[in-house]
Amino acid sequence: MFYPHGLNAELAAEVKKNVHIPVAVVGAISDPEKAEEIIASGKADVVEMARALIVDPFFPTKVKEGRDEDIRKCMRCHVCFDTIINTRDTACALNPVIGEEELYFSPPAPPAKLKKVLIAGGGPGGMQAALSAAERGHEVILCEASSKLGGQILCEAHVDFKKNYYGFSQWLIHQLKKHDNVEIRLDTKVDSKLVEEIMPDSLICAIGDCVRPGKAMTAVHHGHYAALDL
Ligand SMILES: Cc1cc2nc3c(=O)[nH]c(=O)nc-3n(C[C@H](O)[C@H](O)[C@H](O)COP(=O)(O)O)c2cc1C
């Protein structure tokens, strides 16, 4: 995370000067622009990605379809590597489905009843809960007490090496805006009066200090699994 993006491209360029076969480069290539820049500059013939394809296995398809803004980008936290070393399984801090890839192809059965879901907290957990609930067809009202979505990730906005972490909050906002069944209310605290007014079927509390037992590991995972439980 602390190294520059695409840090091995200069080394690949040196290798290329000395061999007459195609040269591939790997290492911290997490966005299509960087990949394109390396190929276009002739520093390498092929770019390879590991973590970028773990967080979003559909990265290449999205690029081909001109949907770069839909790519869930790797923040290079290394949770995937740590998990595989410690558990022989893999996981991703930003994508709760990783390690359970069969869910991409056979998602859980649709909910028996579509619900009105009120979510308190517009940080990564609340936003992922809203996204997962909306994708399953529920009607979602996402409330954030402050004037901005993003929660604790917002403090990373100006930290250069965390730009993909901050970018993840913006990715979630972008995805939420695509769903007609998500209403976002900023400057809105969830209190008993609001709950009585909205009368939701379910309330998800994502205010930053909630722990849901089980396999969840980050706020993003907590939010996703809370939505699957609805
Ligand atoms: C979960 C995981 C498992 C990896 N396993 C191996 C491995 O078995 N052998 C190896 O040479 N590199 C392994 N790597 C390193 C990657 O091949 C790659 O060189 C490295 O992650 C840097 O590329 P990236 O920034 O695109 O992730 C692994 C990386 C990850 C994230």
Side-chain angles (χ1 to χ4, degrees):
M1 188 189 245
F2 304 106
Y3 286 99
H5 286 260
L7 75 169
N8 291 329
E10 300 306 323
L11 300 175
E14 280 307 304
V15 172
K16 244 181 96 62
K17 285 181 197 160
N18 293 284
V19 298
H20 303 288
I21 52 172
V23 172
V25 63
V26 67
I29 301 163
S30 338
D31 54 71
E33 297 80 18
K34 179 52 83 178
E36 181 63 34
E37 180 196 311
I38 293 171
I39 299 290
S41 66
K43 289 177 183 164
D45 303 295
V46 178
V47 288
E48 296 180 338
M49 298 168 186
R51 292 168 296 175
L53 297 180
I54 293 176
V55 59
D56 193 341
F58 300 104
F59 183 125
T61 314
K62 290 175 182 173
V63 174
K64 260 201 232 165
E65 292 173 357
R67 296 194 292 125
D68 292 15
E69 73 284 358
D70 288 336
I71 298 170
R72 204 187 280 238
K73 287 185 185 170
C74 175
M75 65 163 165
R76 306 189 290 158
C77 67
H78 239 40
V79 157
C80 52
F81 193 77
D82 289 349
T83 316
I84 214 161
I85 293 294
N86 292 320
T87 67
R88 312 306 301 162
D89 206 349
T90 200
C92 172
L94 299 188
N95 189 341
V97 181
I98 297 309
E100 299 187 54
E101 280 78 0
E102 74 278 5
L103 291 177
Y104 275 123
F105 305 105
S106 47
K113 177 185 174 235
L114 289 181
K115 293 183 175 175
K116 189 197 268 193
V117 184
L118 176 60
I119 301 176
M127 285 199 282
Q128 180 66 59
L131 186 58
S132 300
E135 283 170 351
R136 288 177 57 70
H138 298 293
E139 182 198 338
V140 177
I141 301 171
L142 174 63
C143 296
E144 164 57 38
S146 78
S147 60
K148 274 186 181 168
L149 291 174
Q152 291 182 39
I153 298 185
L154 291 177
C155 69
E156 316 295 2
H158 305 293
V159 184
D160 191 52
F161 68 87
K162 289 192 177 176
K163 74 172 184 175
N164 282 12
Y165 186 27
Y166 172 71
F168 177 63
S169 65
Q170 304 308 298
W171 180 88
L172 281 166
I173 294 170
H174 179 69
Q175 299 305 315
L176 286 175
K177 290 194 171 155
K178 291 185 182 187
H179 289 275
D180 293 341
N181 51 341
V182 177
E183 183 193 337
I184 296 170
R185 296 192 191 179
L186 300 175
D187 300 305
T188 306
K189 268 195 177 170
V190 174
D191 55 16
S192 53
K193 194 165 155 271
L194 188 74
V195 174
E196 277 164 24
E197 187 188 302
I198 293 176
M199 288 297 278
D201 298 301
S202 294
L203 169 64
I204 296 178
C205 183
I207 56 170
D209 56 358
C210 320
V211 174
R212 181 186 179 281
K215 53 190 164 182
M217 57 187 293
T218 65
V220 181
H221 290 233
H222 288 296
H224 177 67
Y225 287 113
L228 291 194
D229 282 349
L230 292 169

